[in-house]
Amino acid sequence: MGDVVQMHFTTPDYVIFALLLVASTCIGLFYALSGGRQRTTQEFLLADRSMSCLPVSLSLLATFQSAVAILGAPSEIYTYGTQYWFLGVSYFLGLLIPAHVFIPVFYRLRLTSAYEYLELRFNKTVRIMGTVTFIFQMVIYMGVVLYAPALALNAVTGFDLWGAVLAMGLVCTLYTTLGGLKAVIWTDVFQTIVMFAGQLAVIIVGAHQAGGMGEVWRKAMNGSRIASLDLNPDPTERHTFWTLGVGGVFLMLALYGVNQAQVQRYLSSRTEREAVMSCYVVFPCQQVVLCLGCLMGLVMFARYGEESPLDKGYVKTNDQMVLYFVMDVFRDLPGLPGLFVACLFSGALSTISSAFNSLATVTMEDLIKPYCPAMTEAKATLLSKGLALAYGLVCLAMAYIASLMGSVLQAAFSIFGMVGGPLLGLFCLGMFFPWANSTGAIVGLVAGLAMAFWIGIGNFVSRMAVPTPLLPIINATTMPLHGNMTTAVMTTLITSITAKPKPTGVQALYNLSYLWYSAHNSTTVVIVGLIVSLLTGPMKEKDLTPGTVYPVLGNLLFFLPERYREKLCCVTPLSHKPKAINTQPYQMAQESNGVAQHKEEEKTEEEERATPQPSCRLAHTVQETAL
């Protein structure tokens, strides 16, 4: 690489970057010292269920938008064109279904951990399996999402690698441990604003230097970067309208429907209506984020054309290309490179803090409380903070391991991504199929994970014959999508750089587009789970916990007489239990944990019981998410 690459930070850049870290820490300290001072697990893990719609929605967005996404999206558009923009089509169903199906069920059960649902619906074994799978998934991801942007920054600007990693990891651990979920959500809001500001600054200055947006568009058209609608139904094609618009829905559901980091935000909302509204507010914000990524990629193309900095040898990998472009555009504007780097690390901070908080929550609620029923509220809160701190240190250790991994780094990304689909399938099995039993759930989850690892490892091994640099693979296929939590890293699994003969047989399965992975693996869980449930004796209607089933089949089979629908277990026991929705399952879950509830919360529940419900049938109440 030539000297042109090493464009170093100036003092204003370092000042702006430092201000981001200081501001994030201050927000954590503020919530540690104000309000209830994080003295209860409800406040620390669920922000006292007091959050309003706007901060929750911006936090959902920030968790979704990671550093890998900020680096990957423009690189994807620069290399392949705007076909990826059609992913925006999947956002509609990907948020509508969580808003009207998953949120009502989770919120009315008054859960803390999404995996409590699995015990209420199946049994304790299924809950623990779901929890352990999630912890495995997140721990692997944390170090990688911390290390990857720092490595790219170090390569392009000479910014100290481990200085950046330690600064981010320690600041993130500090404000998550001190301030709880409130601090995480409000720092996410601040970091979202920084992300938007950084990306907008690059687009505005870059477009101005290229001769205006009209010129940018003209060059993109001439360079065949403006993609038309590709209706090719082939599932092995990396990006078509169907893979993006339909396969993308399952990726969105794995993230926004059942991922603990997002579910926790819904549950922190003041009311169910606020939780649903937060989903609706995220929708236009996501479209804006997607458009910003696309515009930055087009501005990059207008500046460099077909001769990318990668081709010229100025950078070694695709993920460094965006940073090189930013340093190139802002070379005469001190402070602005620091703003973009603050934007980049805001994405990483929001993702990692969400991981810490959600990991502390599931460890506390699913693995410790059920076995320590006599634990006091004060001890439980202290232990929750200790868990958040411990996971922060684990994250730094994982970042160090990631630095030693080399080419195994991609495998770590891939393992993370493979787990999202089976977990989605497990929740869908319980929520939509009343006759599914615990044996079916366990066998289904194992089958889904086995299928995911078989395809993922098969794909990885089949590509080892053609060695390619690691990070170009990551960013050739890692787009703004789910750079963050459950599904983005699945994007590392498939790369189609050069035209190859059409694969057949098992090889075709290995070449499945990464956007179909979540759909394929979740469907495996559901099908296997249903077959095993029917063979081992389906769940009886009377054995179902009220409020755990969404009657989607009852609605789809509306044309059948009710007696047949009852035989199919499509009508839930809530038909005859008008008051059970909000209180009974929640009390069962909490009593099994042996933790006394906060007096204010008990008072709220009594008020809820006293308030007449709009309807007593789950088929209606679960769908009446008033807007």
Side-chain angles (χ1 to χ4, degrees):
M1 294 198 294
D3 292 337
V4 69
V5 176
Q6 289 297 323
M7 295 178 282
H8 293 280
F9 265 30
T10 59
T11 303
D13 297 323
Y14 282 109
V15 168
I16 289 173
F17 180 65
L19 283 174
L20 165 76
L21 299 178
V22 170
S24 297
T25 307
C26 289
I27 293 171
L29 288 170
F30 175 78
Y31 284 106
L33 300 172
S34 65
R37 299 191 181 180
Q38 313 299 321
R39 286 187 185 132
T40 66
T41 51
Q42 284 291 298
E43 183 178 15
F44 184 74
L45 300 175
L46 285 177
D48 264 346
R49 301 184 193 266
S50 63
M51 300 306 295
S52 58
C53 166
L54 189 61
V56 169
S57 58
L58 289 178
S59 181
L60 287 167
L61 181 73
T63 303
F64 161 93
Q65 176 78 339
S66 78
V68 177
I70 293 167
L71 291 175
S75 177
E76 158 71 17
I77 301 298
Y78 178 92
T79 309
Y80 297 105
T82 56
Q83 186 70 38
Y84 182 72
W85 181 82
F86 289 106
L87 181 72
V89 175
S90 72
Y91 293 172
F92 184 70
L93 277 179
L95 287 167
L96 200 64
I97 294 171
H100 291 279
V101 177
F102 292 109
I103 290 178
V105 172
F106 288 143
Y107 198 90
R108 294 175 190 197
L109 290 172
R110 302 281 289 175
L111 308 176
T112 301
S113 157
Y115 303 98
E116 284 179 66
Y117 168 84
L118 297 176
E119 182 176 352
L120 290 171
R121 174 62 181 85
F122 297 114
N123 60 22
K124 195 179 288 290
T125 306
V126 180
R127 175 181 181 177
I128 290 173
M129 284 182 69
T131 303
V132 170
T133 305
F134 174 76
I135 291 173
F136 171 70
Q137 176 192 36
M138 294 308 301
V139 165
I140 281 182
Y141 183 52
M142 284 194 305
V144 177
V145 83
L146 178 61
Y147 180 72
L151 182 64
L153 183 67
N154 169 259
V156 177
T157 67
F159 197 101
D160 185 69
L161 175 63
W162 288 105
V165 168
L166 285 170
M168 272 205 306
L170 293 175
V171 164
C172 204
T173 303
L174 186 66
Y175 74 72
T176 307
T177 304
L178 292 177
L181 187 64
K182 267 187 188 169
V184 172
I185 288 177
W186 281 109
T187 48
D188 281 353
V189 171
F190 166 67
Q191 288 156 6
T192 303
I193 294 167
V194 174
M195 279 190 271
F196 277 129
Q199 288 179 298
L200 274 173
V202 175
I203 291 166
I204 291 167
V205 176
H208 175 72
Q209 291 178 5
M213 282 309 296
E215 184 66 12
V216 168
W217 189 263
R218 187 187 66 77
K219 288 180 177 176
M221 287 287 285
N222 292 341
S224 303
R225 288 303 188 273
I226 307 299
S228 58
L229 194 62
D230 182 358
L231 295 174
N232 183 354
D234 184 358
T236 62
E237 284 292 318
R238 187 165 158 273
H239 284 166
T240 66
F241 175 77
W242 303 114
T243 57
L244 291 159
V246 180
V249 170
F250 288 87
L251 291 177
M252 293 294 294
L253 290 178
L255 177 65
Y256 281 96
V258 301
N259 183 270
Q260 171 65 25
Q262 309 294 54
V263 169
Q264 213 166 321
R265 281 153 179 69
Y266 303 142
L267 298 174
S268 72
S269 300
R270 280 188 297 226
T271 63
E272 184 184 314
R273 183 175 179 274
E274 296 256 16
V276 172
M277 283 303 296
S278 67
C279 248
Y280 276 82
V281 173
V282 168
F283 178 72
C285 295
Q286 279 184 328
Q287 300 291 353
V288 170
V289 166
L290 186 59
C291 289
L292 287 176
C294 290
L295 283 173
M296 198 187 299
L298 294 178
V299 172
M300 277 176 67
F301 186 79
R303 187 174 188 88
Y304 299 124
E306 298 289 352
E307 294 187 355
S308 71
L310 185 64
D311 295 334
K312 290 182 176 179
Y314 295 157
V315 294
K316 289 180 178 175
T317 59
N318 266 15
D319 69 308
Q320 296 168 8
M321 202 158 67
V322 174
L323 273 169
Y324 175 83
F325 165 67
V326 169
M327 296 299 290
D328 190 16
V329 165
F330 289 156
R331 66 172 64 203
D332 298 321
L333 298 165
L336 288 182
L339 177 64
F340 183 79
V341 169
C343 152
L344 183 67
F345 281 80
S346 290
L349 285 169
S350 61
T351 300
I352 299 164
S353 61
S354 301
F356 291 169
N357 196 262
S358 58
L359 282 166
T361 303
V362 298
T363 307
M364 188 70 212
E365 296 295 324
D366 300 327
L367 301 181
I368 296 176
K369 273 189 181 178
Y371 302 101
C372 301
M375 187 183 294
T376 63
E377 182 67 14
K379 276 188 181 175
T381 308
L382 189 64
L383 186 55
S384 297
K385 293 180 179 180
L387 286 168
L389 176 63
Y391 278 119
L393 300 177
V394 168
C395 176
L396 288 171
M398 285 302 296
Y400 179 69
I401 293 169
S403 71
L404 303 176
M405 276 190 195
S407 62
V408 185
L409 187 61
Q410 185 189 348
F413 268 112
S414 304
I415 288 168
F416 171 89
M418 292 176 218
V419 178
L423 282 176
L424 171 64
L426 184 62
F427 279 94
C428 289
L429 182 69
M431 211 168 281
F432 303 144
F433 302 96
W435 59 88
N437 63 25
S438 55
T439 308
I442 292 168
V443 177
L445 178 60
V446 171
L449 288 169
M451 180 65 79
F453 278 84
W454 175 42
I455 296 176
I457 294 169
N459 168 266
F460 186 70
V461 171
S462 68
R463 279 194 293 103
M464 288 301 283
V466 186
T468 46
L470 164 69
L471 287 170
I473 289 174
I474 290 177
N475 281 288
T477 55
T478 303
M479 287 68 59
L481 178 64
H482 310 293
N484 107 333
M485 309 299 283
T486 21
T487 42
V489 194
M490 218 179 309
T491 55
T492 63
L493 290 177
I494 302 291
T495 306
S496 307
I497 306 294
T498 56
K500 297 175 184 174
K502 193 161 180 62
T504 55
V506 176
Q507 197 61 40
L509 198 60
Y510 294 157
N511 281 272
L512 191 68
S513 170
Y514 69 90
L515 284 157
W516 286 114
Y517 271 49
S518 191
H520 180 270
N521 298 332
S522 57
T523 305
T524 301
V525 175
V526 170
I527 292 173
V528 172
L530 288 178
I531 292 171
V532 172
S533 295
L534 293 172
L535 291 175
T536 57
M539 180 85 85
K540 297 288 190 287
E541 188 175 5
K542 61 183 173 59
D543 297 327
L544 287 169
T545 303
T548 56
V549 176
Y550 183 89
V552 66
L553 283 174
N555 297 335
L556 291 175
L557 302 175
F558 64 91
F559 51 85
L560 290 178
E562 184 154 343
R563 66 179 182 277
Y564 293 119
R565 284 192 287 147
E566 282 180 0
K567 283 183 182 177
L568 289 171
C569 205
C570 293
V571 181
T572 72
L574 276 186
S575 305
H576 312 294
K577 298 182 181 180
K579 293 181 183 178
I581 288 179
N582 285 331
T583 59
Q584 206 173 55
Y586 176 55
Q587 289 169 342
M588 285 167 58
Q590 297 305 319
E591 283 166 11
S592 71
N593 290 340
V595 179
Q597 290 303 300
H598 200 267
K599 287 181 181 178
E600 290 180 13
E601 191 170 330
E602 288 174 356
K603 186 179 176 184
T604 306
E605 287 185 23
E606 284 169 14
E607 288 169 0
E608 284 178 1
R609 290 192 200 101
T611 306
Q613 298 297 322
S615 171
C616 67
R617 291 178 68 93
L618 179 66
H620 299 297
T621 49
V622 167
Q623 294 176 79
E624 287 177 4
T625 48
L627 286 172

